[in-house]
Amino acid sequence: MSKSTKAEGRAFINGQYVNSMSGEVFASYSPIDGEFLTNIDACNEQDIHHAVLGARRSFESGVWSAMPLQERKNVLFKLADLIIEHEEELAVLETLDMGKPVSLCLESDIRGGAHAIRWFAECIDKLYDHMSPNHQGIGMITREPIGVVGAITPWNFPFYMAIWKVGSALAMGNSVVVKPSERASLTTIKLGELAHKAGVPEGVLQIVPGYGRVAGAALGRHSDVDCISFTGSHTTSRELMKYSSETNGKPVHIEAGGKTANIVFKDALNLEEAAQVSAQAIFYNMGEVCFAGSRLLLPDDEDFIETFLSKVKNYSEYWQPYNPLDMQSMAGALVDAAHLQRVENFVQGALDQGAQLFTGGKIKHPDSGGYYYEPTILTGVTPDMTIAQEEVFGPVLSVMTYQDEEDAIRIANGTDYGLASAIWTGDLNRAHRVSRAMKSGNVWVNCFHGGDMTMPFGGYKQSGNTRDKAFTGFEKYTQIKSTWIALGLRILVNVNAHSGAS
């Protein structure tokens, strides 16, 4: 695909592209080759305030929040259609911006985003409220849009993660202010334009790019924002919680990464498939995935380990990084030079702590001007090593061994994270037993990243406090109202009693 796609870097506020009030910008360079892409607005507190006020006006006016449900559905369906119409442009933008292979951007992120929008839209008139089972009055328990949603999105799936937040929040009738990651903003900025063309009224979806420490902090501190939805590091999530406590106490919904254990038992039904999927689980998207299967747990059996790892190594060759604009490429560049250095440091640190390099461990295409790192497998990793505890967010697989099922569970649960876990076994009792024991929000048995839009996604422990997708994904963008209507006869009897009537 062509690199000629024009990149828009301005904020999208109140239905149009505008420059930041300060005029400040920062340069965006492609991780593919280091070439300049465009200047992006470095929005500040004034820009955030302007966007939030516009979102508040649009919400209170009812132009979207009170729109008939079928009309709101039709607008979101139109947005999904426009995403598909612009799918190649969006896929190329995403690839140029964060280095992901364009084929994966096209299929998973852009088409997947359009599918998610349609799913959210279809739910709009399927989410029923409740009534209290009481004979003394009519008790109605209803969900209403929470108001102005502040969404702060990550750089690894910039368009798709924006859709998860924007789609469900808009479906419920909210107005949304999005602060995309400064590392990958371009497709989210484009989303604002497409939403407006689809019929989303001005002010209902605001896109405000900028640095997290400035624009993101301002959104978190703003007292007219009713909730924050954040995907990123747990360090930033703590800052957002602090901002909330210092201002209006808004709920802060976070998804903050993971350290997924991928446990292979000897009784796995298909070890060949398990090895192939284990490679994909960590090397897909260059390992820049919150639920990446970064910890491979194998039984302490030398013959089994040697056989299984040789298969994983063979499948890792499918994920060697190449030019991500090539439709045949399965892996591309890491997001920037700082992240490449971070991944290198993790690998070196593991080696210093006693791990062994089984394969990989080198920078690829150093003369390209981009940031490429080959699939890497480390053996001899122990649970106390830094690389076994902290999120690398790169194509680095840590291989660990366990003595028995109980030991595997202990190692798998032995981190501060709890986003996901995977189990490979042919024993149905073991599948249920180990699944129940996993302290993670997602458990996949004989697969990896199983499920669809009907399955909630989120984590335990420091991986987060919320869920995206499914019906539960709408809850954080609503608030519950209890309405009690007394029955007329009861009112009449009470009035008569107080007036002394017989």
Side-chain angles (χ1 to χ4, degrees):
M1 287 190 177
S2 171
K3 291 178 62 177
S4 62
T5 299
K6 178 174 171 53
E8 174 63 70
R10 292 175 293 171
F12 191 85
I13 299 176
N14 296 333
Q16 60 184 335
Y17 285 116
V18 295
N19 294 315
S20 64
M21 293 185 179
S22 68
E24 292 185 20
V25 298
F26 59 90
S28 174
Y29 298 93
S30 176
I32 297 174
D33 50 19
E35 289 190 10
F36 174 78
L37 292 175
T38 191
N39 286 318
I40 297 177
D41 278 7
C43 294
N44 60 21
E45 293 87 348
Q46 288 180 298
D47 301 292
I48 291 291
H49 184 62
H50 180 48
V52 171
L53 289 184
R56 175 59 62 190
R57 282 194 301 270
S58 71
F59 179 74
E60 299 299 341
S61 74
V63 66
W64 181 255
S65 57
M67 180 182 285
L69 298 186
Q70 188 59 53
E71 291 183 27
R72 197 190 299 163
K73 283 180 65 172
N74 290 341
V75 170
L76 292 183
F77 284 142
K78 177 62 175 175
L79 174 55
D81 291 342
L82 285 172
I83 289 171
I84 295 302
E85 286 180 27
H86 292 262
E87 63 177 17
E88 288 198 7
E89 175 189 358
L90 289 165
V92 172
L93 273 178
E94 190 117 311
T95 295
L96 292 174
D97 206 15
M98 63 80 56
K100 181 184 304 185
V102 71
S103 60
L104 302 182
C105 289
L106 185 64
E107 188 61 37
S108 299
D109 298 51
I110 309 308
R111 292 174 183 167
H115 170 71
I117 285 285
R118 290 193 181 102
W119 193 88
F120 292 135
E122 194 57 67
C123 291
I124 288 175
D125 56 4
K126 310 296 189 300
L127 298 169
Y128 289 84
D129 293 320
H130 304 282
M131 295 188 70
S132 169
N134 200 297
H135 298 295
Q136 297 176 324
I138 298 174
M140 299 188 299
I141 304 162
T142 56
R143 283 194 173 272
E144 299 181 350
I146 196 168
V148 175
V149 173
I152 302 175
T153 57
W155 53 262
N156 60 328
F157 291 88
F159 188 80
Y160 195 45
M161 292 295 96
I163 290 293
W164 276 15
K165 298 179 189 302
V166 168
S168 50
L170 290 182
M172 292 294 95
N174 297 283
S175 294
V176 188
V177 180
V178 183
K179 205 299 284 184
S181 170
E182 57 268 33
R183 280 173 150 169
S185 305
L186 299 182
T187 51
T188 308
I189 292 173
K190 181 69 177 180
L191 178 63
E193 176 191 341
L194 295 180
H196 187 61
K197 285 182 178 179
V200 175
E202 67 178 51
V204 172
L205 179 59
Q206 317 275 54
I207 313 294
V208 192
Y211 291 108
R213 64 180 182 274
V214 179
L219 191 60
R221 289 192 176 102
H222 204 292
S223 292
D224 212 17
V225 172
D226 296 302
C227 82
I228 291 289
S229 179
F230 169 73
T231 299
S233 73
H234 54 78
T235 301
T236 302
S237 69
R238 292 191 189 103
E239 289 296 310
L240 290 168
M241 290 178 177
K242 183 177 74 173
Y243 300 152
S244 171
S245 70
E246 293 170 349
T247 52
N248 61 339
K250 66 178 73 65
V252 179
H253 307 290
I254 63 171
E255 192 267 278
K259 196 67 185 171
T260 299
N262 183 27
I263 309 172
V264 180
F265 291 101
K266 283 186 176 181
D267 61 11
L269 292 172
N270 188 331
L271 289 176
E272 193 71 35
E273 180 185 12
Q276 181 179 4
V277 175
S278 294
Q280 180 175 338
I282 181 60
F283 302 131
Y284 174 81
N285 202 40
M286 298 76 68
E288 296 169 330
V289 182
C290 56
F291 56 81
S294 57
R295 293 185 298 152
L296 177 61
L297 275 59
L298 301 178
D300 190 10
D301 179 316
E302 286 189 17
D303 291 337
F304 184 91
I305 292 170
E306 182 180 354
T307 300
F308 192 80
L309 284 188
S310 67
K311 296 178 185 293
V312 176
K313 181 179 178 180
N314 289 339
Y315 284 116
S316 74
E317 293 301 312
Y318 287 100
W319 303 96
Q320 288 291 341
Y322 298 102
N323 179 1
L325 287 168
D326 185 334
M327 287 293 287
Q328 303 306 311
S329 177
M330 294 297 292
L334 298 181
V335 71
D336 58 25
H339 191 57
L340 175 61
Q341 185 63 60
R342 182 177 187 272
V343 171
E344 272 200 296
N345 290 345
F346 265 110
V347 171
Q348 186 57 54
L351 297 177
D352 291 344
Q353 289 183 317
Q356 295 91 46
L357 187 64
F358 185 74
T359 189
K362 298 184 182 68
I363 291 176
K364 297 281 283 187
H365 317 304
D367 299 328
S368 66
Y371 315 111
Y372 301 86
Y373 199 79
E374 62 183 340
T376 298
I377 300 175
L378 297 171
T379 57
V381 176
T382 57
D384 59 323
M385 290 183 182
T386 302
I387 203 162
Q389 293 294 322
E390 297 186 14
E391 192 174 32
V392 179
F393 227 59
V396 181
L397 178 62
S398 297
V399 181
M400 310 167 75
T401 61
Y402 61 85
Q403 298 301 315
D404 51 27
E405 182 181 298
E406 183 179 353
D407 192 37
I409 292 169
R410 178 188 63 80
I411 295 170
N413 289 334
T415 76
D416 290 334
Y417 293 100
L419 184 57
S421 54
I423 303 159
W424 296 86
T425 180
D427 184 333
L428 185 60
N429 289 325
R430 170 174 277 164
H432 282 284
R433 190 168 58 241
V434 178
S435 294
R436 286 176 180 268
M438 290 295 97
K439 298 185 186 303
S440 60
N442 303 273
V443 181
W444 303 309
V445 180
N446 295 330
C447 64
F448 197 89
H449 194 214
D452 56 19
M453 288 299 297
T454 66
M455 294 292 290
F457 182 84
Y460 286 12
K461 299 189 283 187
Q462 292 189 33
S463 285
N465 61 5
T466 191
R467 294 296 181 270
D468 287 308
K469 303 195 308 177
F471 285 168
T472 54
F474 295 110
E475 294 177 359
K476 59 180 171 289
Y477 302 122
T478 62
Q479 50 195 348
I480 294 175
K481 176 177 285 184
S482 296
T483 303
W484 181 266
I485 301 177
L487 294 175
L489 179 62
R490 178 182 174 85
I491 295 173
L492 180 62
V493 170
N494 285 342
V495 169
N496 290 338
H498 285 297
S499 65
S502 59

